[in-house]
Amino acid sequence: MTNTHTWATGAREDESGGARGGARGGESGEVSSVRLAVIIPYYQKEVGFLRRALQSVASQSVLNAGCELDVFIVDDHSPACPATELETFDCPVGLRVRLLKTRRNGGPAAARNLGLDSVAEDTDFVAFLDSDEVWTSNHLENAVRALDGRLRDIYFSNYLRSDWKSDKFAITGFGDGHEVLDGDRGLFLFTGCPLEDILIKATVRIQTCVVRWKSLRQLRFKESLLIGEDAEYVASAILEHDSLLCFSRGIETIEEQVGINVSQNRGGDAEKERQVRLRMLKYQVYLRREMSLPKTLNARVLEALQEARYNALRAALAPGSVGSRVGAFVRATTIDLGFPAYVLRKALDSLLNWQKKTLSL
């Protein structure tokens, strides 16, 4: 891991020469001079994305309140060099940008972990953003206000992609009935168990999350997961650290232009489809076998695993070379020891129902 450069800083200095975080947030819900870190994993083929993301960070209203922002750009061996976008970026007062680089391409979990390893001990909150997304200017301010409570460790907001017809909350059917923290700002305390919304419905996007550093300093992303690592991180905070969630109904994170996203931008490519389906199968197996989830969630997790097996089987049967198709079966079996039995059962079902020519779960 290497720190390539500290690109710019408007951070105020204390008498010892270190960056001063200022006073911490109190009980009033008002934004005071706090220190925040922003972690942005970077892997793109085209320039332009990162600059837009950084401009949205620089526009955060908390900077006007005297807050400090340490931004960590983590280059995961990206084809497009992030340095070219940082050279001419003008940092406002209170904002410092550092460029880090992973030892090898390891995916978003590894990149975020390198960023977390670099966060200063006296940081109050850590926020996550992807390089092809932007925040509204009130995102961090709303997070600091909502997290002004001893037991509230994670904040998240609504999310929108430019090619979606609805926002994330509408798509997943995120409901009402949550405790109001600030009605004027639309801030709420999550009431009930959020694990289904996190692990099954994917309502909580890590790019919208801000976490309390003191509470979750030891928590890291699961680097073996290349899909779902963000959901696993948030779920682990709840299961292992008893974290409570708060949120905003407002859309505060927007993917204006879609960059590299293997899980979404497959474009009919059978090989990419196989790769994504195998990664999703690994994620669902992890939920089923490795996480200690409430019994009430077991049925939904098993249903999701069955769907992942079905999609992995379809992807393995998709057009391609014999080697790639056999390889997909082998990898699926390595990931999920129950996959061969599932395939056998589906084959028998298909033989018994050959006139219908269907393959069902």
Side-chain angles (χ1 to χ4, degrees), residues 281 284-285 288 301-309 336:
L281 178 63
Q284 297 299 342
V285 169
R288 179 70 174 172
V301 172
L302 179 58
E303 180 183 337
L305 175 57
Q306 294 292 77
E307 182 178 356
R309 287 169 170 167
D336 177 18

Side-chain angles (χ1 to χ4, degrees), residues 14 32 41 123 188 251 278-279 312 342-343:
D14 63 18
S32 58
T123 298
F188 298 83
I251 298 170
L278 289 171
R279 289 177 178 178
Y342 176 83
V343 173

Side-chain angles (χ1 to χ4, degrees), residues 34-48:
V34 301
R35 185 172 185 177
L36 300 99
V38 180
I39 297 175
I40 305 178
Y42 183 80
Y43 189 90
Q44 297 292 348
K45 290 184 177 179
E46 301 175 6
V47 297

Side-chain angles (χ1 to χ4, degrees), residues 59-327:
S59 72
Q60 292 301 298
S61 58
V62 292
L63 287 170
N64 298 326
C67 295
E68 304 283 356
L69 290 184
D70 297 313
V71 182
F72 298 95
I73 312 295
V74 187
D75 179 4
D76 194 27
H77 289 258
S78 170
C81 179
T84 58
E85 299 195 57
L86 297 175
E87 294 269 350
T88 58
F89 180 72
D90 186 19
C91 285
V93 172
L95 181 67
R96 175 186 297 142
V97 178
R98 289 179 60 194
L99 179 60
L100 309 173
K101 189 169 185 176
T102 56
R103 287 185 175 139
R104 59 179 178 79
N105 176 254
R112 293 189 186 108
N113 284 344
L114 178 54
L116 288 173
D117 291 341
S118 305
V119 173
E121 184 177 349
D122 66 340
T123 298
D124 296 294
F125 305 108
V126 175
F128 301 95
L129 180 65
D130 279 359
S131 60
D132 56 358
E133 294 164 340
V134 297
W135 286 331
T136 57
S137 61
N138 62 344
H139 175 62
L140 293 182
E141 181 178 351
N142 281 343
V144 171
R145 290 178 182 276
L147 288 168
D148 186 36
R150 295 181 184 276
L151 297 179
R152 300 195 290 271
D153 291 332
I154 301 177
Y155 171 87
F156 69 97
S157 69
N158 204 346
Y159 173 90
L160 181 67
R161 267 184 55 157
S162 59
D163 56 346
W164 287 357
K165 295 182 179 180
S166 300
D167 59 80
K168 188 65 176 181
F169 285 8
I171 292 172
T172 61
F174 189 56
D176 299 320
H178 300 278
E179 180 182 336
V180 178
L181 294 176
D182 187 330
D184 293 336
R185 288 178 173 269
L187 305 180
F188 298 83
L189 175 68
F190 196 109
T191 303
C193 180
L195 290 174
E196 182 173 348
D197 278 294
I198 295 168
L199 297 172
I200 306 299
K201 296 181 179 180
T203 301
V204 182
R205 299 293 297 266
I206 195 64
Q207 305 93 319
T208 75
C209 287
V210 181
V211 305
R212 187 184 303 280
W213 183 235
K214 182 178 179 180
S215 300
L216 302 178
R217 187 178 300 159
Q218 304 303 318
L219 187 62
R220 293 295 184 271
F221 290 85
K222 189 69 64 175
E223 295 186 15
S224 61
L225 298 176
L226 294 175
I227 284 180
E229 80 293 335
D230 49 352
E232 191 275 342
Y233 174 88
V234 179
S236 293
I238 296 168
L239 294 169
E240 299 173 14
H241 300 273
D242 298 322
S243 297
L244 294 181
L245 274 66
C246 51
F247 65 92
S248 167
R249 290 196 178 278
I251 298 170
E252 296 177 6
T253 306
I254 304 168
E255 189 173 10
E256 293 182 329
Q257 290 184 278
V258 181
I260 292 180
N261 189 325
V262 177
S263 65
Q264 296 173 343
N265 305 330
R266 300 190 286 276
D269 187 312
E271 288 304 315
K272 287 184 179 180
E273 185 72 20
R274 275 189 269 272
Q275 182 184 61
V276 169
R277 295 307 180 185
L278 289 171
R279 289 177 178 178
M280 181 57 73
L281 178 63
K282 186 173 185 177
Y283 169 62
Q284 297 299 342
V285 169
Y286 179 87
L287 295 187
R288 179 70 174 172
R289 308 276 168 80
E290 303 296 330
M291 294 200 77
S292 299
L293 300 174
K295 292 182 179 179
T296 54
L297 200 58
N298 284 344
R300 292 300 310 275
V301 172
L302 179 58
E303 180 183 337
L305 175 57
Q306 294 292 77
E307 182 178 356
R309 287 169 170 167
Y310 171 73
N311 288 328
L313 176 56
R314 284 185 62 97
L317 294 173
S321 67
V322 173
S324 65
R325 297 162 88 179
V326 171

